Amino acid sequence: MRQQTFKGATTIQAKAGFSTLTNNRTAKQPKPDWIKIKLTTGDNYQEIKGMMRSKTLHTVCEEARCPNIYECWANRTATFMILGDICTRACRFCAVNTGLPTELDLQEPERVAEAAENMKLKHCVVTSVARDDLKDGGARIFAETVAAIRKRLPLCSVEVLIPDFLGERDSLEIVMNSKPDILNHNIETVERMSDRVRARAKYRRSLELLGRAKEIKPDIPTKSSIMLGVGEEWDEILQAMDDLRAVDCDILTLGQYLQPSPKHLNVERFYTPEEFALLKEEGLKRGFSHVESGPLVRSSYHAHEQVKSATAAREERTVSL
């Protein structure tokens, strides 16, 4: 057992009165007291669950075992997962099923839009499994889903959380030309840990995608997420923030990695709420328009609030210029 240390973070941690946590690579760490999930399975939760089943829809809330599913569904918000529930990649942190997809559902965009209308959503998040088996990576279905939601709910903002499309610019252009309100693509972890944590995805390719998104549609806010606790160092987290700001990423979410099953990556470290608060300060100092940071934060957590912050910040910068 060795002690986890963060280069350059000694002063910051001492100032906040932190005790350095232990990093145990051989035994599973117990969850600390601050990792708590409120179970709310009332009428709204049951209604949304029934709707998803009746329309044969998938949500990342369920497939990725998101800890916020009870809160979000109780508040009538959900992140739709299109292009099926089988991913062509096998990232070591992700609980989504892996394999070779057998079909492409061309009616899925309309069913997603109908569900969003029934839920009376004001902000809709659409993500997907990776579909490396498709020539465009599923970009066309993303665009059709955005269009279908806009047709039924013209006042609803739409956020897309996309895979990297293996770096294909044409696929990214298809999605950007559908004019989502937010383009989200997660780098997931720091550069040093990327190859160990992710499958086929590349850290620099993800940054390039976010930069290209701004080249194609400069007015559309971009967003990314980092999960903590897979072996990264403090200064590497700050460097990842700098890398995202270098491609003009607007929104950052930071959350604690939680092991979905024994076959997935171990949790190397649990970050305290105070540390997440410090990282939020670091992100805001670097110019992100919105930073959502906390142990149970996930990429789509409080997404409806983030689009307002990003839009307001970009309008403010435009006026100042």
Side-chain angles (χ1 to χ4, degrees), residues 143-159:
E144 290 177 0
T145 303
V146 173
I149 294 170
R150 288 263 167 75
K151 184 177 180 180
R152 286 178 175 264
L153 290 169
L155 298 181
C156 178
S157 54
V158 184
E159 174 180 334

Side-chain angles (χ1 to χ4, degrees), residues 48 51-52 55-61 63 73 76-84 108-109 111-121 123-129 142 145 149 153 156 158-161 300:
I48 291 175
M51 184 187 306
M52 297 302 173
K55 297 186 182 302
T56 323
L57 295 173
H58 304 286
T59 66
V60 74
C61 320
E63 303 298 337
W73 282 24
R76 304 188 68 83
T77 62
T79 298
F80 296 99
M81 190 173 79
I82 61 174
L83 299 170
E108 191 173 44
R111 293 204 314 281
V112 169
E114 184 179 358
E117 182 181 36
N118 291 343
M119 292 170 65
K120 299 180 175 61
L121 296 184
H123 181 76
C124 185
V125 183
V126 180
T127 189
S128 77
V129 292
F142 263 106
T145 303
I149 294 170
L153 290 169
C156 178
V158 184
E159 174 180 334
V160 292
L161 170 53
S300 300

Side-chain angles (χ1 to χ4, degrees), residues 261-290:
S261 80
K263 70 179 182 180
H264 290 87
L265 287 171
N266 289 329
V267 176
E268 298 290 339
R269 187 177 187 276
F270 286 103
Y271 286 70
T272 66
E274 292 83 2
E275 288 171 305
F276 276 107
L278 280 178
L279 287 169
K280 179 173 182 175
E281 292 178 12
E282 291 290 338
L284 292 173
K285 283 194 301 186
R286 283 164 168 75
F288 288 102
S289 63
H290 188 102

